[in-house]
Amino acid sequence: MNKILIVDDEPNILLSLEFLFKKEGYKVFIARDGEEAMDIIEENDPELVILDIMMPKVDGYEVCRYLKKNHKDVKVIFLTAKSKHQDIQKGMDLGADLYLTKPFSTKDLVNKVKTLMN
Amino acid sequence: MLSNGLIIAFTFGYMALLFAIAYFSEKSAGKGRSFASNPYIYSLSLAVYCTAWTFYGSVGRAATNGLEFLTIYIGPSLFAPLWWIVMRKIIRISKVQRISSIADFISSRYGKNITLGGLVTVFCLVGILPYTSIQIKAIATSFNILQYSETTLNLFQIPFYKDTAFYLAIALALFTILFGTRDIEATAQHEGMVMAIAFESIFKLVAFLTVGVFVTYFIYDGFQDIFNQADLRGLDHLFVLQGENGVSEWFWISVLSMMAILFLPRQFQMSVIENRDEKHLDKAMWLFPLYLLLINVFVLPIALGGIIHYQEASVDADTYVLALPISYNQGWIALFVYLGGFSAATSMIIVSTIALSNMVSNNLIMPLLLVNDRLKSKYQHKLGNTVIWIRRGTILIIILLAYIYYKEISSQFSIVSIGLISFVAIAQFTPAIIGGIFWKKGARVGAMAGIIAGFLMWFYTLVVPTIVTAGFFPESLMEDGLFGIYALRPQHLLGMEGLSYVSHGLFFSLTLNMFLYVFISLFTSQSSKEHNQAVVFVDIFKYSTTLDSSIIWKGQAYLPDLKALLFNFLGEEKAENALKEFSLRTGKTLGNQRYADPELVNYSERLLSGIIGAASARIMVGSVVKEEEISMEEVLGILRETQELKSLNLELRQKSFALKRATGKLQSMNETLRLNDMLKDEFISTVTHEMKTPITSIRAFSEILMDEDLPEEDKKRFLDIIIQETNRMTRLIDQVLDLERFDSGRQKLNLEKADLRILILQSAESMLQLFKEKELNFEIKLGFDQLELMVDEDRIKQVILNLLSNASKFAKSKVILNSFLKEDLLIVKVKDDGKGVPEEEIPFIFDKFFQARNQTSKKPIGSGLGLAISKKIVEYHGGQIRVYREDNLTCFEFNLPFHEKVRQHTETQKTYE
């Protein structure tokens, strides 16, 4: 079973994403901040991480940098409200596979995750 | 009555005192503490006007002519208020043009003309020398009286080496040389001399008042007694205005003395050259007349007292002041009076000789020396020293001449007549000077003709008769007139009768003088140099600031030549300093220029003027300058241009200043706008960002709900979330709108009387549930029972709730709500034991979206607008909000004032609506 980690500090967004991907048959882990995310990555080796950027303690950029350094194969999707051109550029430069902005289409997100996982 | 030795001891003692005063004043001034720069000293120094003539002669004149002696004091007193117009102008001109004497003044005004300056000098000498000699005579006579109780007739037969007066004259010359020629600059001010003269003025006044009091109150029983006795003896004609020619006599002598007070060389020296500040005139204008009044109070009583006392005895009335104390055996008073007279005489001699020596050196000898090429080349390189020694020699010669004159000639004349004749001589300068400073058309030829004619007339009407009296000319000249022409009788020209001979002389000399001056000036065109000076003199207040640049001058001068010239006169150090000052003031560097520009040439010329006089300075500068004659049109053009440039410059300066200010304003406004714009951008981007969060949830759950066949339970849960998030959005929008209204001042408070105790408790109560859930200990302390304030109840609740809810997010174990009254404030504090606000964030914590702006690591606070809105609400109520750390607790505190501010604030807000 494919393992997905979802990182966001908004409980309701976490809830919706968790529900969505569980239904698609993924094993879903959730984290409320960057620190928690890194712990889960070390413990559970998720294949794909959906990352918010603005979070307490450790932000999304930091988590992405950490992943690309220590877990090169893990796919990264930024899912954030930051939609400015510079923000997208910065995310892609860090080596993210996808950069999606909030609000998002659930169908679209699920499809993109599927494509990335195969 | 007193021993010769005693008198001599006191006399020289007094001289020593003068030396000491002068010496110590100079020393003190050298250390920067000048006593002479003071309106009182200035006024006293003007009292050099009162000479031995005043001291002895007034009483003599009063004894024969009654109140008429007052005329020579009434004139200056009447004229004193006009000093502000005339004297101030003369002072300003003299300072700007560095004028050193009356001769220099006239020569300067009329194109720096040598002949005119020399002429004035010669006439001054002729006019003043006899006057100086009678001062010596007064000293000798009074000395003699004091010694033998009466005038011994053989006074003039004493050989000079046995004559005390001779040694006194030498001592005076020494004093004058020592304190009058220390500095090469004739315009330099003589601190020591001025102080000594001021002292002498006090001394002679006190001495005269002493003898006045003695005569009036000790010999007689006061004024009343003297006048009664005089009345009984038929002397009443002395204390009323006399008939016949009395009125015209008063008029003419007053006019005469008005001119004398301005133009007597010693007065010019004191009032103009030694003036340190034009403002001193303010006080002198009333102090000097007061001095004259004081020194004249006892003149008539002494005169009457003398006449009554001596009856038929032939005692010269000129000597009453001294003779009366002697008759009553008051040796010490007599000695004091003698010294008073001595001080009056010496002050005149000292100042007059200084003034005359400056004129002789600058306007007579220097020009002669400089015109003669042989002499010039001989003295060229030591001119500075030459000037000083010429002056010293002149002083000695003048005093010796005065002494000789006294010995050989003056035995014939009484004191007063010489004084007045002297005055008339000096009065001849009036048309040229007064015309010169008020009338641009006044021309050199006119001035020269006027002065020469006036002097000839003076000589014929006033001097010739005294020569006749002395027996050198035949008596018939007086009775039949010159060449036997009856109309040319010296004292009755054109058959004029009814004026005293002095008034008669004044009338004819001055009338002729004025007529020639005006008439010739009207029909003469001035040279450009002369016109230039005329304009500068008449419009001095306009030009005094820009003089160097507005003087017309065309030509070239080699800078090294000009420098060499200055070195010769000023000495290397002073010349370098003067040049430094010039470049400092004008901003021009004189480094390695080859030619000096006109401004520098003018400056140098004025520097030299201060030393050797205007005319000589012109010759000297002319010798190193290749000058071109300049046409009248050019002169006027340049002058006009300077004026126009000046005003244009001013206008430009004002305009550019205004422009600068406007630019500054615009810049700061632009800055504010840019900042506002940036803040607005940031605000919008933050707001939209914040809105995306609930929208994301709403959309996600909506899609989940739409697509899937969900269990009822999940459906309900997700719908709840959607509603929750919608509420969150609504709240956010409301807050944004709130804040916007507060920011723009359109927010209105709904003020009502509210009990704050109830309000606070209600707010706290609504939070209890939350604290219980978070297991936080919640404490409330209220420090007052009841307090009604005009507040917007909902808004204040909003603030308290916001602070409590923030506290609940950070607190570890407890939250404290504390409220109390302090002075006229209600204080509300919300404390929690959380980790607190970092020091560096405190200034921004009340900014909107502070937490969001502080970027990527977000803190768990609501919308980020709560504190910003709370701050606005508190401020709208006239209060303040702040955050600080106290006893390891984070403390948010706000206060509400009881006073009117709240209402006023809301009222002004209403007017916005």
Side-chain angles (χ1 to χ4, degrees), chain A residues 31-94:
Chain A
R32 287 169 198 280
D33 58 56
E35 217 173 75
E36 207 184 332
M38 292 195 272
D39 288 347
I40 292 172
I41 290 163
E42 287 309 309
E43 268 174 44
N44 301 301
D45 290 320
E47 290 149 67
L48 186 140
V49 179
I50 297 176
L51 260 182
D52 187 13
I53 291 177
M54 297 210 313
M55 291 179 300
K57 294 178 187 170
V58 177
D59 67 33
Y61 293 130
E62 207 49 51
V63 177
C64 181
R65 230 174 259 131
Y66 171 82
L67 278 169
K68 290 298 154 191
K69 197 175 162 200
N70 302 314
H71 305 272
K72 268 199 184 128
D73 302 334
V74 180
K75 309 273 188 235
V76 175
I77 298 176
F78 276 120
L79 184 63
T80 171
K82 291 169 83 79
S83 55
K84 274 188 258 170
H85 183 72
Q86 309 89 288
D87 296 330
I88 297 172
Q89 190 64 48
K90 184 174 176 189
M92 298 311 282
D93 285 350
L94 282 173

Side-chain angles (χ1 to χ4, degrees), chain B residues 300 575 652 671 680 746 771 792 821:
Chain B
L300 202 54
L652 266 177
E671 193 56 36
K680 200 101 188 162
R746 280 187 290 113
F771 289 123
D792 187 325
L821 306 182

